[in-house]
Amino acid sequence: MIQPAFSDPVLRSGLRVAQANLPTRYGTFTAMVFEEVASGCQETALVMGDINDGRPVLARLHSECLTGDVLGSLRCDCGPQLAAALGAIAAEGRGVLLYLRQEGRGIGLYHKLQAYALQEQGLDTVEANERLGFPADLRDYRLAARILHLLGVRGIRLLTNNPKKLHSLESAGIEVVGRVPLLIPPNAENLFYLRTKQEKMGHLFGDGHLDDHPLDDLDDGGGPPADRRRET
Ligand SMILES: [Zn+2]
């Protein structure tokens, strides 16, 4: 069993934790649910190996995406990123994945579907959030950083394409010693979305990763209108 940096199940920090082994298709993790007692907010950590020995830990902070993670949506790359992250941690035999309940970059499932509807009218993912009155990204990693501290993690190698996530964690006191890309081949449904994340949100996909798939060669399956897509 993991021995976090506490002994009492109800923590002085206002979090309590339940944990059990979780065998998965990737390997066996220790699943831990941290509940913030005051709010009832729950976050899940999947831990493999010894992560509080002082060495940097391979880590993924994955924000919940019901449509991508569970339902197999092709509108984003969340599901394959989740699978690739768990696979990478299992391959190293050591690491942690935090599954964070901030659906739709923090706007929630209802508003995410509203944003999808706006994207079907031609807005991109950033414009759609803003049309609904939200910033492009509402996610907050402070509770995730607290959980990493409780797990004894001090330095991480972060599985992400999002450089802003590195800065958010560092400002919350987690040392990010490196970034490990999570590059998923794009599909016809998510290429415009991924390019928007690259161009407007600074996501790093590496040279050519999104360029090798000319839009005209891809199936038209309900993405942004064709005139809009050719602009990119
Ligand atoms: Zn998603």
Side-chain angles (χ1 to χ4, degrees), residues 21-49:
N21 288 329
L22 189 71
T24 73
R25 69 184 66 170
Y26 310 99
T28 298
F29 293 84
T30 299
M32 310 176 77
V33 171
F34 291 82
E35 182 176 80
E36 196 172 44
V37 176
S39 67
C41 287
Q42 295 180 338
E43 304 291 12
T44 300
L46 292 186
V47 177
M48 185 175 282

Side-chain angles (χ1 to χ4, degrees), residues 23-181:
T24 73
R25 69 184 66 170
Y26 310 99
T28 298
F29 293 84
T30 299
M32 310 176 77
V33 171
F34 291 82
E35 182 176 80
E36 196 172 44
V37 176
S39 67
C41 287
Q42 295 180 338
E43 304 291 12
T44 300
L46 292 186
V47 177
M48 185 175 282
D50 184 1
I51 61 169
N52 62 1
D53 59 3
R55 291 183 296 136
V57 174
L58 186 62
R60 168 72 180 166
L61 273 61
H62 190 88
S63 295
E64 173 181 33
C65 175
L66 179 80
T67 48
D69 296 341
V70 179
L71 303 178
S73 168
L74 297 176
R75 296 188 74 130
C76 60
D77 55 348
C78 301
Q81 281 197 318
L82 176 61
L86 290 170
I89 290 167
E92 281 203 10
R94 178 172 177 273
V96 57
L97 180 137
L98 297 187
Y99 193 82
L100 305 170
R101 307 299 299 273
Q102 36 190 2
E103 177 81 46
R105 295 199 301 274
I107 67 174
L109 187 58
Y110 179 86
H111 294 301
K112 185 172 95 168
L113 267 287
Q114 286 187 313
Y116 278 174
L118 289 171
Q119 289 169 57
E120 287 164 8
Q121 296 170 24
L123 276 66
D124 67 35
T125 181
V126 171
E127 292 166 342
N129 277 31
E130 290 171 351
R131 176 74 63 87
L132 293 170
F134 297 108
D137 195 337
L138 257 179
R139 288 176 293 184
D140 185 328
Y141 298 101
R142 285 173 293 184
L143 180 54
R146 283 173 64 196
I147 291 170
L148 289 174
H149 275 295
L150 288 168
L151 289 169
V153 174
R154 294 296 174 263
I156 60 172
R157 291 157 47 229
L158 188 62
L159 286 154
T160 187
N161 302 325
N162 180 2
K164 287 182 183 165
K165 201 182 281 186
L166 276 61
H167 303 314
S168 299
L169 281 170
E170 284 178 331
S171 64
I174 298 293
E175 184 186 6
V176 182
V177 302
R179 184 182 72 86
V180 181

